[in-house]
Amino acid sequence: MGIQTNKKGLLVVLSGPSGAGKGTVCSALKEEVPELVYSVSATTRPPRKGEVEGVNYFFKSKEAFQRMINQGELLEWAKYVNNYYGTPRTFVEERLAQGHDVLLEIEVQGAYQVKKVFPEGVFIFLLPPSMEELRARIQGRGTESKDTVEDRMKAAREELGHARYYDYLVVNDKVAKSCQQIHCILEAEHLRRERIFQENPNWLEGI
Amino acid sequence: MGIQTNKKGLLVVLSGPSGAGKGTVCSALKEEVPELVYSVSATTRPPRKGEVEGVNYFFKSKEAFQRMINQGELLEWAKYVNNYYGTPRTFVEERLAQGHDVLLEIEVQGAYQVKKVFPEGVFIFLLPPSMEELRARIQGRGTESKDTVEDRMKAAREELGHARYYDYLVVNDKVAKSCQQIHCILEAEHLRRERIFQENPNWLEGI
């Protein structure tokens, strides 16, 4: 019959300071690893034109969102500018059980919450190549006042300290390179002996 | 100045039962990962035509080999058919210090010895896709008697049990796929936070 490789999906958490380029890397990763499933967030923010329920977000009332928090249905959640955002647990767990790798692109605080519930996840920290480059990226958006840039730089410096809690560190100097590296991390994690035997203690007997 | 990635080389041990295809995978890996340095073994076997000292082997007298064993100059060694074979420690350590990844393609007993001296090494176990395929490969060489085939199958079954001591398991059904997977393992290991911080505790300050 031949030996089976690891069938359960990996929970992959991609985080890092704001300005590291998480969004850009995630978009590029959809080309590089098309089989990767992206977690869909729940939010209390009203849908924008063209946004589709269950594709862009799960749209929830504040009451429904609060109920999800209370009943432990969110892997992580946070409040930004009067709206709540969170990661529904069921969506993620179902996809993992089906054997899909699931990617969560979230802020460091959210990642910290997920780590407590899913210690077996693969935690990848994306870093800017330098603080100067980070500043250039934040300023480059051109939408931020001088004070806001300083605030964001200060926040980024604090967020960088979270690197110590992650499994892998990816320096995002070139998006294509970062994508390849993340692809390799997923490939390698599926081959880890610990993971394979944890899931199937009799794996060797399949040979 | 920007952040530096992990500069010290990885010690990579590729092992697995005889018949798994270690030699074939190693040859193909020279194309896939040209920057990988291959450890050169010491042996008491006389050089064959065309073999070059320091390239194919370090050729040693039995006395010199015994001295290397006694002085702890070998990472691992074993005796096959009246000749000794071993991995000189200095060659490996020098290349690692220069930042090269170094590959050791060795038998499971040797890998077990290396693990004790180099627990931070990356230990990759190569498996045949099935016992039937392994038998076909051993028989396919056409040089073995029926009894020898059975002996080798029995030895391979025992060697398979060593899989439990390795970091990664690679099922060698297709050589090109195995090579890519090993390439990814090396790439991912260089990005492991633990390894990066162990080597350079102030790594984050470089950013």
Side-chain angles (χ1 to χ4, degrees):
Chain A
M1 67 175 242
I3 208 154
Q4 298 295 308
T5 44
N6 195 9
K7 282 297 178 213
K8 201 185 163 194
L10 299 170
L11 179 75
V12 185
V13 174
L14 183 69
S15 191
S18 151
K22 297 191 288 294
T24 317
V25 167
C26 270
S27 301
L29 211 52
K30 286 184 191 180
E31 305 271 316
E32 171 87 19
V33 195
E35 67 274 20
L36 192 59
V37 171
Y38 290 71
S39 161
V40 177
S41 296
T43 183
T44 59
R45 161 167 94 50
R48 292 181 191 144
K49 209 181 160 196
E51 284 184 339
V52 177
E53 162 77 13
V55 175
N56 304 94
Y57 284 99
F58 295 110
F59 295 101
K60 302 283 174 189
S61 67
K62 284 201 176 167
E63 295 68 34
F65 198 98
Q66 190 59 55
R67 210 161 39 235
M68 291 178 85
I69 295 176
N70 295 345
Q71 298 184 346
E73 291 174 18
L74 296 172
L75 284 178
E76 56 86 31
W77 64 273
K79 193 180 178 186
Y80 297 106
V81 205
N82 282 328
N83 281 306
Y84 290 86
Y85 296 82
T87 303
R89 177 194 288 269
T90 315
F91 178 90
V92 171
E93 289 184 340
E94 282 175 0
R95 299 307 180 283
L96 291 176
Q98 289 162 4
H100 300 292
D101 294 343
V102 179
L103 185 94
L104 270 61
E105 180 219 326
I106 49 180
E107 305 301 321
V108 292
Q109 294 301 340
Y112 186 74
Q113 293 177 51
V114 175
K115 178 91 180 170
K116 284 190 272 186
V117 200
F118 258 104
E120 74 274 30
V122 181
F123 290 79
I124 304 173
F125 196 80
L126 198 72
L127 299 96
S130 70
M131 291 311 275
E132 296 81 59
E133 171 64 22
L134 183 67
R135 182 182 293 274
R137 287 180 193 177
I138 292 173
Q139 285 174 338
R141 298 182 187 173
T143 53
E144 319 272 20
S145 73
K146 206 179 159 194
D147 277 0
T148 316
V149 169
E150 289 315 315
D151 285 351
R152 293 205 41 206
M153 286 298 289
K154 187 163 168 263
R157 259 182 228 105
E158 284 171 14
E159 287 168 339
L160 268 180
H162 283 252
R164 298 191 176 273
Y165 307 111
Y166 284 71
D167 301 312
Y168 295 96
L169 307 178
V170 171
V171 177
N172 185 28
D173 42 5
K174 294 213 176 76
V175 172
K177 192 212 66 180
S178 301
C179 275
Q180 277 181 350
Q181 291 185 331
I182 293 170
H183 194 172
C184 270
I185 290 169
L186 305 191
E187 187 83 25
E189 281 287 333
H190 276 287
L191 302 170
R192 286 182 78 81
R193 184 258 311 156
E194 217 176 343
R195 219 176 259 289
I196 292 172
F197 280 128
Q198 217 159 45
E199 199 181 304
N200 184 357
N202 302 318
W203 186 76
L204 273 178
E205 290 163 24
I207 200 170
Chain B
M1 66 176 244
I3 208 155
Q4 297 296 308
T5 44
N6 195 10
K7 281 296 178 213
K8 200 185 162 194
L10 300 169
L11 179 74
V12 186
V13 174
L14 182 69
S15 192
S18 151
K22 297 190 289 294
T24 318
V25 166
C26 270
S27 301
L29 210 53
K30 286 185 191 181
E31 304 271 316
E32 171 87 19
V33 195
E35 67 273 22
L36 191 59
V37 171
Y38 290 70
S39 160
V40 177
S41 297
T43 184
T44 59
R45 162 168 93 52
R48 293 182 190 141
K49 210 184 160 193
E51 284 184 339
V52 177
E53 164 76 15
V55 175
N56 304 94
Y57 284 99
F58 296 109
F59 296 100
K60 302 283 173 190
S61 66
K62 285 201 176 164
E63 295 68 35
F65 199 98
Q66 189 60 54
R67 210 161 38 237
M68 292 178 85
I69 296 176
N70 295 344
Q71 299 184 345
E73 290 175 19
L74 297 172
L75 284 177
E76 56 88 30
W77 65 273
K79 194 181 176 186
Y80 297 106
V81 205
N82 284 324
N83 281 306
Y84 290 86
Y85 296 83
T87 304
R89 177 194 288 268
T90 315
F91 178 91
V92 171
E93 289 184 341
E94 281 175 2
R95 299 308 181 285
L96 291 176
Q98 289 162 3
H100 299 292
D101 294 343
V102 179
L103 185 92
L104 271 59
E105 180 219 327
I106 49 181
E107 305 301 321
V108 292
Q109 295 300 341
Y112 186 75
Q113 293 176 50
V114 176
K115 178 93 180 168
K116 283 190 272 184
V117 200
F118 257 105
E120 74 275 28
V122 180
F123 290 78
I124 304 174
F125 196 79
L126 197 71
L127 301 95
S130 69
M131 291 310 276
E132 295 82 59
E133 172 63 22
L134 184 66
R135 182 182 292 275
R137 287 180 192 175
I138 292 173
Q139 284 174 338
R141 298 183 187 172
T143 53
E144 319 272 20
S145 72
K146 206 179 159 194
D147 277 0
T148 316
V149 170
E150 289 315 314
D151 285 350
R152 293 204 43 205
M153 287 297 290
K154 188 164 166 261
R157 259 182 229 106
E158 284 171 15
E159 287 168 340
L160 269 179
H162 283 252
R164 299 191 176 273
Y165 306 111
Y166 285 71
D167 301 310
Y168 295 96
L169 307 178
V170 171
V171 176
N172 185 28
D173 42 4
K174 293 212 178 80
V175 172
K177 192 211 67 181
S178 300
C179 276
Q180 277 182 350
Q181 291 185 330
I182 293 169
H183 195 173
C184 270
I185 290 169
L186 306 191
E187 187 82 26
E189 281 288 333
H190 276 287
L191 303 169
R192 288 182 76 82
R193 183 259 309 154
E194 217 177 342
R195 218 176 259 289
I196 292 172
F197 279 129
Q198 218 158 45
E199 201 182 302
N200 184 357
N202 303 319
W203 186 77
L204 273 177
E205 289 161 25
I207 200 169

